[in-house]
Amino acid sequence: MPGRFVLAYGNIRQAPAEWTAAPEFRDFVRRRITGDDMLGFQLAFDVTGDPAFPEKPAFEVARDLGVAVTTHAAVWGATDDDGIRLMHEHGFMGPETVYVHAATLSADSYHRIAATGGSVSVSTEREQSAGQGYPTTWAIRSHGIPVSLSMDTSVWWSGDLFSAMRTTLGADRAREHLEAHAGGETVTHCALRADQVVEWATLGGARALGREQDLGSIEAGKKADLVLLRNDHSPVPFPVLNPYGHVAFQAQRGDVHTVVVDGRVVKHDHRLLGVDLNSVRHTVERTVEHLRSALGEEAWVNGMDPDVPETKVLDNPYTYTDYRSASTHGR
């Protein structure tokens, strides 16, 4: 698939200090880090909070290679403030570090991220469905931490940045209302705006990767990576009264008319160019068939349709009433 990519390499089956020291990994890096502008490289591993800081050798490898580290920070029940503190105390937090989720951190940890110039990658669909923690934009706004949007995995979630923008706006505003209501207040002007999430989905990603000087916005001298929206066969694209609001709340993948990557048109008139989708489709179908047969039908069905937790539907004690009170419909 034509595009611009960054591979954040990790290995969940071995400790970071172990796999980064392996000769096979060094050989992989030597073959893959070629200076190709279209394929960047990072390391990806998590910091468990172990006081011995066993991840230190992996950070040293990253520093030796001159590559950034992306880490799942503050995943509920897995990583927490201790990991941030250890990274900071050992000097491994910097502007190139990307903290994915960062959803359950204390103000102290957010201060450390802000002070060292790191950025947070908010993966709202994932956080809402898998429980890493409440999407953190509502908590980090006051810290001035740069934000990018992500999906964490396109296997389970949509892989759609239009969805990422919309769900992030919704989650942030829902939390703002919730916090206000707890204090007996009402929000009439939400703090997070559509133009901010559009920036997070574009320039925010470039900034997180250290590429804001040549990517992420339409400016003279920057590389021509462009997404053009137009769909004459849909009622959604008009009228455009607020362009940012339209992109964040109305647009969707089907409205992407043209995509340009490094000056090369890779999608036009809603169709990918130079990609044999039939071949890709058949490959995916064969992969699914293999997995289904290897797992067995019972395991496949159970995995695709897991048990739903039992719930109790409460009886509704109300009937129609004209009752009004000061806290409900007071006049």
Side-chain angles (χ1 to χ4, degrees):
M1 188 72 69
R4 193 185 299 276
F5 304 93
V6 174
L7 170 64
Y9 182 89
N11 181 353
I12 198 172
R13 299 191 179 279
Q14 287 184 320
E18 190 176 348
W19 60 260
T20 56
E24 296 84 0
F25 169 73
R26 290 286 185 166
D27 178 64
F28 173 82
V29 172
R30 187 167 53 252
R31 288 185 288 110
R32 294 296 180 180
I33 299 184
T34 61
D36 184 356
D37 182 56
M38 304 302 289
L39 178 61
F41 186 77
Q42 295 182 350
L43 297 190
F45 55 85
D46 297 344
V47 182
T48 61
D50 182 340
F53 196 36
E55 298 84 10
K56 181 180 179 181
F59 279 107
E60 292 172 339
V61 169
R63 182 171 289 174
D64 180 52
L65 293 174
V67 299
V69 171
T70 180
T71 183
H72 286 94
V75 173
W76 190 90
T79 56
D80 57 18
D81 292 301
D82 288 335
I84 300 296
R85 178 181 53 78
L86 287 166
M87 290 174 62
H88 188 248
E89 290 177 351
H90 288 83
F92 291 115
M93 294 178 70
E96 74 285 352
T97 311
V98 180
Y99 306 87
V100 183
H101 305 308
T104 57
L105 291 176
S106 67
D108 178 74
S109 290
Y110 290 134
H111 281 309
R112 293 176 192 258
I113 293 173
T116 54
S119 64
V120 170
S121 178
V122 178
S123 185
T124 306
E125 281 192 10
R126 169 79 170 188
E127 290 143 11
Q128 288 179 326
S129 295
Q132 278 81 0
Y134 200 91
T136 194
T137 54
W138 72 276
I140 64 175
R141 279 197 254 105
S142 61
H143 296 277
I145 298 173
V147 175
S148 61
L149 300 183
S150 60
M151 309 309 301
D152 204 32
T153 172
S154 59
V155 176
W156 291 336
W157 322 125
S158 69
D160 176 7
L161 281 177
F162 292 107
S163 175
M165 288 186 279
R166 200 163 301 145
T167 56
T168 301
L169 264 175
D172 191 288
R173 291 178 170 185
R175 186 61 183 250
E176 187 177 7
H177 286 295
L178 183 67
E179 297 289 323
H181 294 173
E185 300 177 352
T186 297
V187 175
T188 58
H189 293 70
C190 293
L192 184 61
R193 302 302 178 94
D195 64 309
Q196 290 173 273
V197 295
V198 173
E199 179 180 320
W200 291 347
T202 52
L203 187 59
R207 184 180 294 118
L209 297 173
R211 298 292 302 268
E212 63 179 306
Q213 298 304 317
D214 63 343
L215 297 174
S217 59
I218 303 174
E219 300 178 54
K222 287 197 172 185
K223 295 182 182 296
D225 285 8
L226 306 170
V227 176
L228 309 180
L229 306 181
R230 176 177 177 176
N231 190 346
D232 294 335
H233 303 290
S234 168
V236 172
F238 61 86
V240 179
L241 305 178
N242 182 316
Y244 290 111
H246 212 93
V247 169
F249 284 113
Q250 306 296 330
Q252 52 192 308
R253 283 180 289 191
D255 300 321
V256 176
H257 181 279
T258 299
V259 176
V260 180
V261 179
D262 202 36
R264 173 191 173 194
V265 178
V266 299
K267 181 177 183 179
H268 182 66
D269 198 16
H270 305 279
R271 294 179 180 272
L272 293 175
L273 304 180
V275 177
D276 186 353
L277 280 181
N278 283 330
S279 175
V280 174
R281 184 182 299 112
H282 292 153
T283 299
V284 172
E285 289 173 348
R286 288 195 300 271
T287 301
V288 172
E289 290 172 1
H290 169 74
L291 292 173
R292 190 164 188 165
S293 62
L295 287 172
E297 192 63 19
E298 182 178 357
W300 179 268
V301 171
N302 290 338
M304 297 300 291
D305 189 19
D307 293 336
V308 176
E310 291 186 10
T311 59
K312 180 181 179 181
V313 178
L314 300 178
D315 293 332
N316 184 354
Y318 300 103
T319 57
Y320 181 79
T321 176
D322 289 329
Y323 174 75
R324 298 289 185 271
S325 74
S327 63
T328 55
H329 298 84
R331 298 176 183 177

